[in-house]
Coordinates of all heavy atoms in Angstrom, one line a residue:
L59 N 105.5 -49.5 -82.9 CA 104.8 -50.7 -82.5 C 105.9 -51.8 -82.2 O 105.7 -52.6 -81.2 CB 103.8 -51.2 -83.5 CG 103.1 -52.5 -83.2 CD1 102.3 -52.4 -81.9 CD2 102.1 -52.7 -84.3
L62 N 107.3 -51.4 -78.8 CA 106.4 -51.9 -77.8 C 106.4 -53.4 -77.7 O 106.4 -54.0 -76.6 CB 104.9 -51.4 -78.0 CG 104.7 -49.9 -77.8 CD1 103.5 -49.4 -78.4 CD2 104.7 -49.6 -76.3
A66 N 109.1 -52.2 -74.7 CA 109.2 -50.8 -74.2 C 108.0 -50.5 -73.3 O 106.9 -50.8 -73.6 CB 109.2 -49.8 -75.4
E67 N 108.3 -49.8 -72.2 CA 107.3 -49.4 -71.2 C 106.4 -48.3 -71.8 O 105.2 -48.3 -71.6 CB 108.0 -48.8 -70.0 CG 107.1 -48.5 -68.9 CD 106.6 -49.8 -68.2 OE1 107.2 -50.8 -68.2 OE2 105.4 -49.7 -67.6
K68 N 107.0 -47.4 -72.6 CA 106.3 -46.3 -73.2 C 107.0 -45.9 -74.5 O 108.2 -45.9 -74.6 CB 106.2 -45.1 -72.3 CG 105.4 -43.9 -72.8 CD 105.3 -42.8 -71.8 CE 104.6 -41.6 -72.4 NZ 103.2 -41.5 -72.2
V69 N 106.1 -45.4 -75.5 CA 106.7 -44.9 -76.7 C 106.1 -43.5 -76.9 O 104.9 -43.2 -76.7 CB 106.3 -45.8 -77.9 CG1 106.6 -45.1 -79.3 CG2 107.0 -47.1 -77.9
V70 N 107.0 -42.6 -77.3 CA 106.7 -41.2 -77.7 C 107.1 -41.1 -79.1 O 108.3 -41.2 -79.4 CB 107.4 -40.2 -76.8 CG1 107.0 -38.8 -77.2 CG2 107.0 -40.4 -75.3
S82 N 100.2 -43.4 -88.1 CA 100.7 -44.0 -86.8 C 99.6 -44.2 -85.9 O 99.5 -45.3 -85.2 CB 101.8 -43.1 -86.2 OG 102.9 -43.1 -87.0
R83 N 98.6 -43.3 -85.8 CA 97.5 -43.5 -84.9 C 96.6 -44.6 -85.4 O 96.0 -45.4 -84.5 CB 96.7 -42.2 -84.9 CG 97.4 -41.1 -84.1 CD 96.7 -39.8 -84.0 NE 97.4 -38.8 -83.2 CZ 97.3 -37.5 -83.3 NH1 96.5 -37.0 -84.2 NH2 98.0 -36.7 -82.5
V85 N 97.7 -47.3 -86.9 CA 98.5 -48.5 -86.5 C 98.3 -48.8 -85.0 O 98.1 -49.9 -84.6 CB 100.0 -48.4 -86.9 CG1 100.8 -49.5 -86.3 CG2 100.1 -48.4 -88.4
R86 N 98.3 -47.7 -84.2 CA 98.1 -47.8 -82.7 C 96.8 -48.4 -82.4 O 96.6 -49.3 -81.6 CB 98.3 -46.5 -82.1 CG 98.1 -46.5 -80.5 CD 98.2 -45.2 -79.9 NE 97.2 -44.3 -80.3 CZ 97.3 -42.9 -80.2 NH1 98.3 -42.4 -79.6 NH2 96.3 -42.2 -80.6
E87 N 95.7 -47.9 -83.1 CA 94.4 -48.4 -83.0 C 94.3 -49.9 -83.4 O 93.7 -50.7 -82.7 CB 93.4 -47.6 -83.8 CG 92.0 -48.0 -83.6 CD 91.0 -47.1 -84.4 OE1 91.3 -45.9 -84.5 OE2 90.0 -47.6 -84.9
W88 N 94.9 -50.2 -84.6 CA 94.9 -51.6 -85.1 C 95.5 -52.6 -84.1 O 95.0 -53.7 -83.8 CB 95.7 -51.6 -86.4 CG 95.9 -53.0 -87.0 CD1 95.0 -53.7 -87.8 CD2 97.1 -53.8 -86.8 NE1 95.6 -54.9 -88.1 CE2 96.8 -55.0 -87.5 CE3 98.3 -53.7 -86.1 CZ2 97.7 -56.1 -87.6 CZ3 99.2 -54.7 -86.2 CH2 98.9 -55.9 -86.9
A89 N 96.6 -52.1 -83.4 CA 97.3 -52.9 -82.4 C 96.6 -53.0 -81.1 O 97.0 -53.8 -80.2 CB 98.7 -52.5 -82.3
G90 N 95.7 -52.0 -80.8 CA 95.0 -52.0 -79.6 C 95.8 -51.5 -78.4 O 95.7 -51.9 -77.3
V91 N 96.7 -50.6 -78.7 CA 97.7 -50.0 -77.7 C 97.0 -48.8 -77.1 O 96.6 -47.9 -77.9 CB 99.0 -49.7 -78.3 CG1 99.9 -49.1 -77.3 CG2 99.7 -50.9 -78.9
P92 N 96.9 -48.7 -75.8 CA 96.4 -47.5 -75.2 C 97.2 -46.2 -75.4 O 98.5 -46.3 -75.5 CB 96.3 -47.8 -73.7 CG 97.0 -49.1 -73.5 CD 97.3 -49.6 -74.8
I93 N 96.6 -45.1 -75.5 CA 97.2 -43.8 -75.8 C 98.3 -43.5 -74.7 O 99.3 -43.0 -75.0 CB 96.2 -42.6 -75.8 CG1 95.3 -42.8 -77.1 CG2 96.9 -41.3 -75.8 CD1 94.1 -41.9 -77.1
E94 N 98.0 -43.9 -73.4 CA 99.0 -43.7 -72.3 C 100.3 -44.4 -72.6 O 101.3 -44.0 -72.1 CB 98.4 -44.2 -71.0 CG 97.1 -43.5 -70.6 CD 95.9 -44.0 -71.3 OE1 95.8 -45.2 -71.7 OE2 95.0 -43.2 -71.6
K95 N 100.3 -45.5 -73.3 CA 101.5 -46.3 -73.5 C 102.2 -45.8 -74.8 O 103.4 -46.0 -75.0 CB 101.1 -47.7 -73.6 CG 102.3 -48.7 -73.5 CD 101.8 -50.0 -73.0 CE 103.0 -51.0 -73.0 NZ 103.7 -51.0 -71.8
W96 N 101.4 -45.2 -75.8 CA 102.0 -44.8 -77.1 C 101.5 -43.4 -77.4 O 100.4 -43.3 -78.0 CB 101.7 -45.9 -78.1 CG 102.2 -45.6 -79.5 CD1 103.0 -44.6 -79.9 CD2 102.0 -46.5 -80.6 NE1 103.3 -44.8 -81.3 CE2 102.7 -45.9 -81.7 CE3 101.3 -47.7 -80.8 CZ2 102.7 -46.5 -83.0 CZ3 101.3 -48.3 -82.0 CH2 102.0 -47.7 -83.1
A97 N 102.2 -42.4 -77.1 CA 101.8 -41.0 -77.5 C 102.3 -40.7 -78.9 O 103.4 -41.0 -79.2 CB 102.4 -40.1 -76.5
I98 N 101.4 -40.1 -79.7 CA 101.8 -39.7 -81.0 C 101.4 -38.3 -81.2 O 100.2 -37.9 -81.0 CB 101.0 -40.6 -82.1 CG1 101.3 -42.1 -81.8 CG2 101.4 -40.2 -83.5 CD1 100.4 -43.0 -82.6

Side-chain angles (χ1 to χ4, degrees):
L59 180 54
L62 288 164
E67 187 72 27
K68 180 175 175 96
V69 169
V70 176
S82 293
R83 288 178 177 156
V85 170
R86 180 180 63 197
E87 184 179 324
W88 174 85
V91 177
I93 292 170
E94 298 79 32
K95 194 156 175 88
W96 182 0
I98 303 168

